[in-house]
Amino acid sequence: MVLKETENLSFECETGNYHTFCPISCVAWLYQKIEDSFFLVIGTKTCGYFLQNALGVMIFAEPRYAMAELEEGDISAQLNDYQELKRLCLQIKKDRNPSVIFWIGTCTTEIIKMDLEGIAPKLELEIQVPLVVARANGLDYAFTQGEDTVLAALAQKTYSNSQQRNSQKTNSREQEPLILFGSLPDSVANQLTLELKKQNIIVDGWLPAKRYSELPNIEPGNFVCGVNPYLSRTATTLMRRRKCKLISAPFPIGPDGTRLWVEKICAALNVIPQGLDIREQESWDSLSDYIKLIKGKSVFFMGDNLLEISLARFLINCGMIVYEIGIPYMDKRYQKAELDLLAKACANNNVRVPKIIEKPDNYNQIDRIRDLQPDLVITGMAHANPLEARGISTKWSVEFTFAQIHGFTNAKDILELITRPLRRNSGLKELGWDKYNTEI
Amino acid sequence: MKLAYWMYAGPAHIGTLRIASSFKNVHAIMHAPLGDDYFNVMSSMLERKRDFTPVTTSVVDRHVLAQGSKEKVVTNITRKDKEENPDLVILTPTCTSSILQEDLQNFCYRASLESKSDVLLADVNHYRVNEMQAADRTLEQIVAFYLKKAEKNNQINSEKTKNPSVNIIGAYNLAFHNQHDIAELKRLFMDLDIEINEIIPEGNSVQNLKNLPKAWFNVVPYREVGNLTGEYLKNNYDMPYIDVTPMGIVETAKFIRKIQQILNSLNCKRSYEQFINNQTRFISQSAWFSRSIDCQNLTGKKAVVFGDSTHAVAMTKILVKELGIKVVWAGTYCKYDKAWFTSQLEGLCDEVILTDDHNLVGDLIAKTEPEAIFGTQMERHVGKRLNIPCGVISAPVHIQNFPLSYRPFLGYEGANQISDLVYNSFTLGMEDHLLEIFGGHDTREVITQSLSADSDLIWAIEAQNELTKIPGFVRGKIKRNTEKFAKQENIETITLETMYAAKEAVNT
């Protein structure tokens, strides 16, 4: 059954010439999430320029991140990497006294083969600050995958951490420990934790936690479950390195996704879910005003943050027609449950299964958008204004990464974002000026 | 390695892209990893561009790392050639690609055999030049390429126009108030009865570059980008160029007199003195403003200036010469232009600062405690933290510095705008002062940890209360003087008496 549904999905791969954020952007939300951390991005002026412009005003708020800007002497190995990094990290220790320093490797450190993983353990001992190395570079990854590399590195690092849960364990709990992974704002993490608590499931920890020192103790046999679709490396690391059991579930985005996410966790932990029907229905009911606005409207995902499958699935269940799901990278194993749910959503709503375009080509996509004239294009900021000037409504995809979109509670926020351009543009419709560009 | 939180000037490829995307029908292809095309976001968001930014990436990924780009770059260039029919494709290396040391020049050569468009490799070293230097260099490179090409094909048009005419070199994307400046310059030249031959690069076609020598002379309004081109045209086509920035009344007059001088030397007798006089005294408001009693209140007020070299120099000249304001120090992040910068500011301010370290600038502002700052967005934020008003006069800037309304900095209308900017900055300071005197709302402690030295002195409660009564813009100074005095006198707890004693000590 399930297999058949997946078979209906068609996957294509284009040239990979698309616009997305560099994965180092993950420092923006991770430094805020992990309150006692410091992120050092080891790269060039290009990386720095991106961060400073992409993160806008955040840069003025004394952020706990900085560039280790490589100079000509570093590139040509006239300077000693170890000594240079030591100097900078001591400076950071003195100024900010963080509990952990993350080193974010970039394209340049890859190309010059700077041995960050080799240097870190030695330097860690010398300066007495834990160092975590993540290679979040544009050679290998797109946008949100940056968080994946950081969490994967963190998952390997947690060995030495507190033993607090062992004591808990002696209280002889029946439930095998459950750890959720994915960085969410604290309030959203709490909402999901409470959602599971209603089913008598205790969340033993989150990766990442609010503070580095509060990272969960991960042991072989523990259950783990992801909350975001871009965390496949973290999932792999938890399974292979930490011998955890991965609960494959759709992601808790939209009431449909959240419900199934809770159900899958319940199933894995042998708990019979209670009252989820009502909970989901209530959530849908609260969305009805928004759904009226978007029902029957078409949407096109250009693809840049890997949330696309989950969002498309939710929007199809809201009655939208999805023309295309562009996505930077598609891990069919990690997203299996989500893909199944997508196929099911299409069947239930009696709509064609959208094409999933991996590594899209923006130029071709714009051609297709021109032909299809969708009601809404979800895209990056590089294309949003030019498309609006051509009379096509757009929503910047980056907002979905920063907004609170998980769980029953936040489904409204997703639709608030989705309907905003439609509401705005229908308000302006009367004016009759919907095309603003100078070419055809 | 350098620990960096913020930079004033971007990496080299941004400069190249700014020039390339300013021309009409020129496409830039970056040889870069995924995510380096952030330039497209900036031009689409900051300038609110309606058209797709003509920049694509030939993505450097793992395969390129292992095996080289092979056909990839060539294919991408020829593909763009077919899709968009550009006149020119400019291949832009990035800092990542430049360490791969692929033979990009060879890719360009091969691609040019298969494309209708011309193909150029941007000739910039990413580890040695910044955004502005790269932009300057790329503009020269493109101009030289098309002039040489035209010469080879005997298409060059170096017969001068009948009436005096000028090329404006300095209209480009993502520059500070540039569109408005160019409009103001056009208006000025119309008033001076001078035809505009070509404006480059913004909105122009590379096909028109062969017409450049037709103009009688060139103007390069901004110091950072255009001088290389001006120099090139001077050396190869004997075209005089003016590198005075017409910003402020005095400098605008100087700019116009230069034009007059050039025209006269080319046997076109023109006198603009009457025009300058008229504009200065009756049409523009800013000269009269500086004479009005309002402006008397600004006399001797302390300001600091920081920005790119063009705007920092021009602003300092305006503040000192036209408004009677004391500029304690003026600085620029264009460190490579030290000689010119220092020579321009001689005798105008106490100290000249050349740095690209924003922390240093912030500390200097905290130490100087000026009544107003004129700087970039970064200085505006320092000003916010220290409660000092700031007028933004230079890039790097935010979206609010791409205003919809007409806001030039150059020419006579520019002088009006600048007067408003200066006046508003200081009045805000005065309002603040009055609010404080009459027990206003804000008694927040403004000196932050990073911007002032910690002290282990104790402030008695009544002294603290007294301190809060002191107007915000001098409070920091008084606090510091009092603490200095207390330290000298070995006083540990600062009381009201200490404060008064300190005040006396300073006054005598």
Side-chain angles (χ1 to χ4, degrees):
Chain A
M1 255 307 268
V2 176
L3 256 179
K4 239 183 198 167
E5 276 171 10
T6 326
E7 272 168 8
N8 289 335
L9 298 173
S10 76
F11 298 92
E12 273 177 39
C13 190
E14 280 190 309
T15 61
N17 210 322
Y18 62 102
H19 166 74
T20 182
F21 271 16
C22 173
I24 58 173
S25 51
C26 69
V27 304
W29 63 88
L30 288 174
Y31 96 81
Q32 288 182 349
K33 174 71 193 179
I34 310 172
E35 288 169 3
D36 51 353
S37 63
F38 192 96
F39 285 79
L40 185 67
V41 182
I42 304 161
T44 60
K45 253 189 180 345
T46 304
C47 313
Y49 196 67
F50 164 69
L51 279 181
Q52 119 179 10
N53 285 297
L55 308 184
V57 282
M58 252 189 246
I59 212 95
F60 298 107
E62 298 241 346
R64 291 185 319 277
Y65 64 81
M67 290 293 308
E69 195 184 307
L70 300 168
E71 292 167 300
E72 215 168 1
D74 299 301
I75 306 296
S76 53
Q78 284 164 339
L79 296 166
N80 181 303
D81 299 339
Y82 185 89
Q83 291 304 332
E84 291 294 298
L85 284 166
K86 181 178 160 189
R87 184 169 57 79
L88 300 194
C89 288
L90 283 174
Q91 179 77 40
I92 292 164
K93 188 184 174 188
K94 190 175 133 242
D95 293 347
R96 308 290 182 97
N97 195 26
S99 312
V100 58
I101 299 176
F102 288 88
W103 284 356
I104 305 296
T106 61
C107 304
T108 310
T109 55
E110 288 297 309
I111 295 173
I112 63 174
K113 297 192 166 55
M114 192 180 278
D115 183 19
L116 297 177
E117 278 94 345
I119 296 172
K122 286 180 223 150
L123 192 56
E124 186 174 71
L125 284 176
E126 201 179 334
I127 65 170
Q128 291 295 313
V129 180
L131 298 171
V132 179
V133 182
R135 302 177 175 205
N137 62 67
L139 294 168
D140 301 308
Y141 306 108
F143 196 9
T144 47
Q145 288 180 292
E147 175 182 322
D148 194 22
T149 64
V150 172
L151 297 191
L154 212 47
Q156 290 189 53
K157 188 77 181 176
T158 46
Y159 283 111
S160 53
N161 249 299
S162 59
Q163 306 295 314
Q164 59 206 55
R165 221 188 54 227
N166 289 354
S167 59
Q168 248 180 30
K169 223 176 176 182
T170 50
N171 293 345
S172 74
R173 279 201 3 236
E174 280 172 34
Q175 182 200 312
E176 183 68 37
L178 169 69
I179 288 152
L180 301 179
F181 57 94
S183 166
L184 293 178
D186 291 336
S187 59
V188 182
N190 289 339
Q191 285 160 11
L192 289 179
T193 305
L194 286 174
E195 208 61 64
L196 289 171
K197 204 174 163 198
K198 282 184 192 153
Q199 308 296 340
N200 286 318
I201 292 170
I202 292 161
V203 177
D204 292 274
W206 280 82
L207 181 74
K210 232 171 116 167
R211 302 181 66 81
Y212 178 72
S213 48
E214 291 166 10
L215 278 176
N217 197 17
I218 304 169
E219 278 164 15
N222 289 1
F223 280 106
V224 291
C225 189
V227 296
N228 269 322
Y230 43 77
L231 298 173
S232 53
R233 281 176 72 87
T234 310
T236 313
T237 308
L238 288 168
M239 284 192 296
R240 298 210 181 131
R241 298 280 186 113
R242 310 303 299 267
K243 312 286 178 217
C244 295
K245 287 179 276 189
L246 178 71
I247 302 172
S248 173
F251 301 98
I253 292 170
D256 45 346
T258 308
R259 180 196 175 155
L260 210 59
W261 181 75
V262 175
E263 277 180 356
K264 293 271 184 179
I265 293 173
C266 286
L269 298 173
N270 284 323
V271 173
I272 295 160
Q274 307 284 331
L276 272 180
D277 273 359
I278 301 164
R279 186 90 176 94
E280 189 193 351
Q281 196 49 52
E282 279 170 359
S283 185
W284 282 115
D285 291 346
S286 73
L287 301 176
S288 58
D289 282 349
Y290 291 105
I291 290 176
K292 267 183 226 150
L293 279 171
I294 53 174
K295 208 171 171 72
K297 293 237 160 65
S298 55
V299 59
F300 188 110
F301 285 87
M302 285 185 77
D304 77 341
N305 59 12
L306 284 96
L307 293 170
E308 292 87 1
I309 303 282
S310 312
L311 288 174
R313 175 262 301 154
F314 170 50
L315 293 182
I316 288 169
N317 276 332
C318 289
M320 289 189 94
I321 299 154
V322 177
Y323 285 150
E324 175 167 328
I325 308 178
I327 187 168
Y329 169 72
M330 182 70 244
D331 185 332
K332 288 178 204 161
R333 274 181 63 196
Y334 176 64
Q335 293 223 41
K336 169 127 194 349
E338 185 62 83
L339 288 168
D340 291 344
L341 192 57
L342 172 71
K344 209 172 132 199
C346 293
N348 288 349
N349 290 282
N350 209 8
V351 291
R352 283 251 299 283
V353 182
K355 265 187 196 162
I356 296 171
I357 311 276
E358 210 180 337
K359 287 173 172 281
D361 185 296
N362 281 168
Y363 185 86
N364 297 343
Q365 285 185 313
I366 285 163
D367 241 15
R368 296 197 285 270
I369 289 170
R370 211 171 272 146
D371 292 344
L372 295 164
Q373 294 286 317
D375 295 310
L376 182 68
V377 175
I378 298 179
T379 180
M381 287 188 278
H383 301 299
N385 269 339
L387 283 171
E388 289 281 351
R390 282 156 184 77
I392 302 223
S393 297
T394 60
K395 181 75 232 141
W396 331 326
S397 49
V398 178
E399 280 196 276
F400 293 103
T401 320
F402 293 109
Q404 308 195 343
I405 60 169
H406 292 76
F408 292 117
T409 332
N410 297 312
K412 216 177 194 160
D413 289 51
I414 306 175
L415 293 190
E416 177 72 27
L417 287 177
I418 291 286
T419 56
R420 192 174 297 157
L422 301 172
R423 283 178 284 139
R424 196 267 309 261
N425 290 351
S426 74
L428 302 180
K429 214 178 201 165
E430 309 263 294
L431 295 172
W433 316 311
D434 63 339
K435 296 209 172 56
Y436 298 82
N437 70 313
T438 46
E439 42 176 70
I440 356 92
Chain B
M1 277 178 214
K2 204 169 86 181
L3 198 61
Y5 297 87
W6 166 268
M7 59 183 127
Y8 286 101
H13 71 271
I14 298 288
T16 298
L17 295 179
R18 276 176 57 189
I19 295 298
S21 64
S22 293
F23 277 113
K24 225 166 36 193
N25 215 22
V26 169
H27 199 98
I29 294 189
M30 298 168 70
H31 189 237
L34 199 65
D36 270 5
D37 61 349
Y38 193 72
F39 177 80
N40 298 34
V41 174
M42 292 177 58
S43 78
S44 169
M45 292 305 287
L46 295 178
E47 295 236 61
R48 303 179 192 89
K49 289 273 176 189
R50 298 155 194 232
D51 286 325
F52 294 101
T53 311
V55 176
T56 43
T57 312
S58 176
V59 180
V60 174
D61 56 15
R62 276 285 151 191
H63 299 292
V64 172
L65 218 56
Q67 313 166 340
S69 289
K70 289 189 176 167
E71 297 302 313
K72 199 171 185 178
V73 177
V74 178
T75 313
N76 277 320
I77 296 175
T78 48
R79 179 186 159 185
K80 249 332 126 188
D81 177 55
K82 286 195 191 76
E83 283 169 355
E84 314 232 320
N85 274 316
D87 295 322
L88 167 69
V89 174
I90 185 152
L91 182 62
T92 313
T94 55
C95 49
T96 309
S97 80
S98 68
I99 37 178
L100 287 176
Q101 302 196 323
E102 288 197 87
D103 191 355
L104 297 179
Q105 190 65 64
N106 182 39
F107 293 153
C108 284
Y109 172 71
R110 275 171 46 208
S112 69
L113 298 178
E114 292 171 47
S115 330
K116 279 198 219 103
S117 52
D118 298 309
V119 185
L120 272 181
L121 174 67
D123 176 24
V124 287
N125 181 325
H126 275 75
Y127 292 90
R128 305 221 171 136
V129 297
N130 69 16
E131 176 184 354
M132 286 134 182
Q133 293 163 293
D136 201 10
R137 173 83 195 92
T138 304
L139 183 59
E140 184 207 21
Q141 195 189 355
I142 295 174
V143 167
F145 175 81
Y146 278 98
L147 284 173
K148 276 182 194 147
K149 191 178 166 190
E151 242 167 38
K152 219 172 84 188
N153 300 334
N154 273 327
Q155 288 173 327
I156 208 100
N157 197 342
S158 52
E159 194 187 323
K160 299 291 171 197
T161 54
K162 202 168 126 244
N163 297 321
S165 64
V166 61
N167 296 320
I168 301 175
I169 303 170
Y172 24 69
N173 276 343
L174 290 169
F176 186 73
H177 292 242
N178 182 265
Q179 283 183 14
H180 314 289
D181 280 353
I182 297 300
E184 185 63 19
L185 281 180
K186 277 176 134 157
R187 207 165 81 168
L188 180 64
F189 283 118
M190 204 172 77
D191 288 345
L192 297 176
D193 193 23
I194 293 171
E195 284 172 16
I196 306 236
N197 185 49
E198 298 289 344
I199 298 175
I200 58 167
E202 175 71 34
N204 211 331
S205 157
V206 286
Q207 308 295 0
N208 292 338
L209 292 174
K210 62 174 185 293
N211 301 330
L212 285 175
K214 274 164 63 183
W216 291 31
F217 66 104
N218 296 316
V219 294
V220 180
Y222 307 109
R223 176 82 194 157
E224 290 74 23
V225 184
N227 270 325
L228 284 177
T229 309
E231 197 62 30
Y232 180 87
L233 291 169
K234 186 179 159 202
N235 293 337
N236 290 275
Y237 297 92
D238 201 23
M239 299 176 76
Y241 77 97
I242 299 174
D243 60 357
V244 174
T245 303
M247 189 169 148
I249 292 282
V250 175
E251 292 296 299
T252 303
K254 192 171 157 193
F255 176 79
I256 296 170
R257 290 197 179 101
K258 276 257 177 182
I259 295 170
Q260 179 180 297
Q261 195 190 335
I262 286 174
L263 294 184
N264 287 346
S265 74
L266 296 170
N267 281 326
C268 170
K269 298 288 173 225
R270 290 271 174 100
S271 172
Y272 292 131
E273 287 308 325
Q274 188 58 40
F275 172 78
I276 295 172
N277 187 32
N278 235 2
Q279 280 286 346
T280 308
R281 287 173 53 214
F282 305 111
I283 297 176
S284 161
Q285 295 295 314
S286 64
W288 159 240
F289 164 76
S290 59
R291 181 75 186 198
S292 72
I293 49 165
D294 243 359
C295 201
Q296 243 176 48
N297 284 340
L298 299 183
T299 314
K301 286 256 186 291
K302 272 192 336 188
V304 298
V305 179
F306 194 81
D308 64 20
S309 40
T310 302
H311 291 89
V313 162
M315 201 62 203
T316 310
K317 286 178 178 170
I318 293 170
L319 291 171
V320 176
K321 289 190 194 166
E322 298 178 24
L323 298 168
I325 290 161
K326 179 168 174 55
V327 174
V328 184
W329 52 263
T332 183
Y333 52 85
C334 300
K335 290 199 297 191
Y336 58 91
D337 205 14
K338 184 178 174 185
W340 181 82
F341 192 79
T342 4
S343 71
Q344 290 293 307
L345 293 181
E346 217 173 284
L348 293 181
C349 56
D350 298 348
E351 208 182 340
V352 169
I353 310 291
L354 287 125
T355 181
D356 50 12
D357 179 354
H358 74 91
N359 281 319
L360 193 73
V361 177
D363 283 346
L364 267 173
I365 293 173
K367 222 161 65 187
T368 315
E369 286 167 39
E371 279 132 307
I373 308 165
F374 298 95
T376 72
Q377 276 294 340
M378 187 39 110
E379 284 68 50
R380 192 173 74 87
H381 280 266
V382 174
K384 259 189 188 168
R385 278 158 55 184
L386 295 170
N387 241 354
I388 303 171
C390 175
V392 175
I393 55 141
S394 161
V397 287
H398 283 170
I399 193 154
Q400 65 263 39
N401 298 107
F402 291 88
L404 305 180
S405 55
Y406 189 52
R407 300 278 303 279
F409 268 63
L410 302 187
Y412 287 108
E413 177 55 25
N416 289 342
Q417 296 283 343
I418 294 168
S419 294
D420 278 343
L421 180 78
V422 172
Y423 186 60
N424 289 343
S425 304
F426 280 109
T427 348
L428 288 177
M430 292 290 284
E431 269 169 27
D432 193 41
H433 182 168
L434 293 172
L435 269 173
E436 300 278 356
I437 285 174
F438 296 110
H441 42 69
D442 187 18
T443 48
R444 173 170 51 124
E445 184 49 82
V446 287
I447 305 293
T448 60
Q449 206 187 355
S450 72
L451 292 174
S452 78
D454 262 350
S455 83
D456 42 14
L457 293 161
I458 302 157
W459 283 74
I461 290 169
E462 74 272 31
Q464 260 176 26
N465 288 340
E466 183 70 13
L467 193 64
T468 57
K469 283 184 209 151
I470 292 164
F473 64 95
V474 285
R475 189 189 299 144
K477 190 162 76 184
I478 290 180
K479 181 172 186 243
R480 215 161 31 80
N481 283 341
T482 311
E483 288 182 347
K484 206 161 92 188
F485 173 80
K487 272 187 185 156
Q488 276 167 8
E489 302 290 313
N490 286 323
I491 297 169
E492 275 169 25
T493 308
I494 296 171
T495 59
L496 269 180
E497 282 86 326
T498 326
M499 281 182 80
Y500 299 142
K503 191 177 172 219
E504 266 182 57
V506 173
N507 285 345
T508 48

